[in-house]
Amino acid sequence: MSEKGELDNSGFNKLNWFTRIGYGLGDCAQNLIYQVVAGYCAFFYSDVYIVGNNTKESSSIAGTIMTTARIIDVIWDPFVGAFVDKHNPRLGKYRTYLLFCGLPLTIEVVLSTQAVTYVLLQMLYTCVNVPYGALNASLTRDTHEITMLTSIRMVCANIGGFFVWTLIPIFLGLAAGKAIPWGFVFFQFVGSIPGILFMPFVPAVKKVVGKKNMFYLFGTIAIIGNIMIYIVSKSGVNSGDNTWMRIANFVKSTGFTIITGYMWAIVPEVISYAEYTTGRRIAGIVNALTGMFYKLGNALGGIIPLYGLRILGYIAGEEEPSSLTKEPKAWFTVMSIYNIVGLVLLLICFFASKERIAMEEKETKNVKVTDLFTEFVRNGPLRIIALYFVTAFTCMTTQNTINSYLFGMSNQKSGTQEGIRWLASLIPAIFNVLMIVIIFFYSLTDEKIDEINREIERRQKTSNAEEA
């Protein structure tokens, strides 16, 4: 393959490394910009900002703010998807939005300390995330290339996750001039390793064990890791010796990273299936649908821990050596730096990723918001993936949110501590079981997808020949 990559008139393009890595950096950027807020916003609202000035009610108030914003965002997704599919900007059908919505998003993040600005943040993120997801399916039809692209994307995403989940506590401590919560840092560090270390090997693993078996295998590993976290945490995560907790988190993350990372490679398959059955490559619509259920999962993942903490009697504002700093200026400083770096990476993604496969101009005229619901009804594989996304992101957001409390709960009541352990381990394990059950019903094999893509190309060649 040449360094410039190989363009195939049939759409089965071979991508060069600049495109693969550049596209992946777009996901890294979104982690640095958005996940900082999505992952820590619950903790920020309940313990740093203390919404409502009520330490007993702040977690439930935060839950209400975040849930309201995400419900509005779920409604917003179909309109963004339809708009993206209907228009063809001069700089690229999908990548244009990385440029023109990326800057407002980075500005909005540092203003998201109030309910209204948090809603706007969610809406702006959709304007970046939906076209970014659609861009994946516009680069190539080749299933191996898509697997490679997704693996590299997930490595970049997990590098971004490493900076969010592992390094932010360090930077916050330095910015605030306070003690760094090393127990929490090392726990998050070992959870970040699998995504960076193992994702490059996913194409080879999938080739050996098959797509579904890969989900079953790593889903089981995630379940084992979560059970280990619960058992070990019962001995006291604030004891200073958390080696077994780190091992447990490594096992859990090894499984969970694969089953949530590779699911993005299935989205282009569902887009091809939609094109095969309808004649239109509605990538924006399909990604808006997956985005809706991804956001719904995030909403549920915010409701479960925050309202759970309220029920458990959690008292906010208790400063402990093992918890994150609660100094507002430190949070503002660190978030601002992350946003600037994220914006630069979005620009690299813009220049590296150029659409090769997209709807023709004549097809975009008939795109409507209602196409989203029509496609959901008639596209069986899409419904399976939507349910998988809801479950996966409910699990992920619940666990990421509650981990901020897991290492700062020694002053809480014993019943509250036990509830936090369940939210951090056993409840995610139940979600992992559901994910395995859901993927069992996914019907599109690699062979079927290759057959579908070749039939699509055959139809297009026939149509072009008739027009000529």
Side-chain angles (χ1 to χ4, degrees), residues 190-364:
V190 298
S192 302
I193 294 174
I196 300 171
L197 193 62
F198 298 144
M199 279 305 296
F201 300 101
V202 166
V205 173
K206 184 194 125 182
K207 193 171 182 179
V208 173
V209 303
K211 182 160 57 183
K212 279 192 175 182
N213 287 334
M214 186 171 68
F215 279 101
Y216 302 153
L217 172 63
F218 287 97
T220 302
I221 292 172
I223 293 167
I224 293 170
N226 276 313
I227 293 173
M228 288 174 64
I229 288 175
Y230 176 76
I231 293 172
V232 176
S233 67
K234 291 284 286 184
S235 66
V237 296
N238 296 302
S239 64
D241 181 12
N242 294 314
T243 301
W244 282 105
M245 275 292 284
R246 295 165 196 159
I247 293 172
N249 196 32
F250 181 86
V251 174
K252 181 272 295 183
S253 297
T254 297
F256 195 66
T257 297
I258 303 301
I259 60 176
T260 53
Y262 188 73
M263 68 184 180
W264 295 102
I266 296 178
V267 176
E269 296 181 0
V270 176
I271 291 171
S272 290
Y273 180 80
E275 184 179 10
Y276 175 70
T277 55
T278 67
R280 296 190 301 169
R281 195 169 181 82
I282 46 177
I285 290 288
V286 171
N287 274 279
L289 264 169
T290 56
M292 282 178 61
F293 288 97
Y294 150 46
K295 305 288 177 52
L296 180 59
N298 271 341
L300 293 172
I303 291 171
I304 291 171
L306 288 172
Y307 284 102
L309 289 171
R310 174 66 184 89
I311 294 169
L312 293 167
Y314 176 81
I315 300 176
E318 299 285 341
E319 190 80 52
E320 300 181 44
S322 60
S323 65
L324 296 170
T325 183
K326 295 163 186 177
E327 171 55 52
K329 289 183 180 179
W331 282 89
F332 179 84
T333 301
V334 173
M335 287 170 66
S336 298
I337 294 171
Y338 270 54
N339 281 321
I340 294 171
V341 175
L343 180 60
V344 172
L345 296 182
L346 271 183
L347 293 176
I348 294 174
C349 180
F350 169 80
F351 288 110
S353 308
K354 187 176 181 179
E355 298 88 341
R356 294 168 170 86
I357 307 165
M359 276 195 294
E360 297 179 8
E361 188 97 22
K362 61 183 180 182
E363 297 175 310
T364 63

Side-chain angles (χ1 to χ4, degrees), residues 36 54 81 101 130 143 210 304 313 319 399 403 442:
V36 172
N54 188 324
C101 295
V130 168
T143 54
I304 291 171
E319 190 80 52
Q399 200 156 40
N403 280 345
Y442 184 72

Side-chain angles (χ1 to χ4, degrees), residues 385-407:
I385 293 307
L387 184 58
Y388 189 90
F389 267 61
V390 170
T391 310
F393 280 100
T394 301
C395 178
M396 183 186 299
T397 308
T398 297
Q399 200 156 40
N400 285 342
T401 298
I402 208 65
N403 280 345
S404 299
Y405 300 88
L406 183 64
F407 283 80

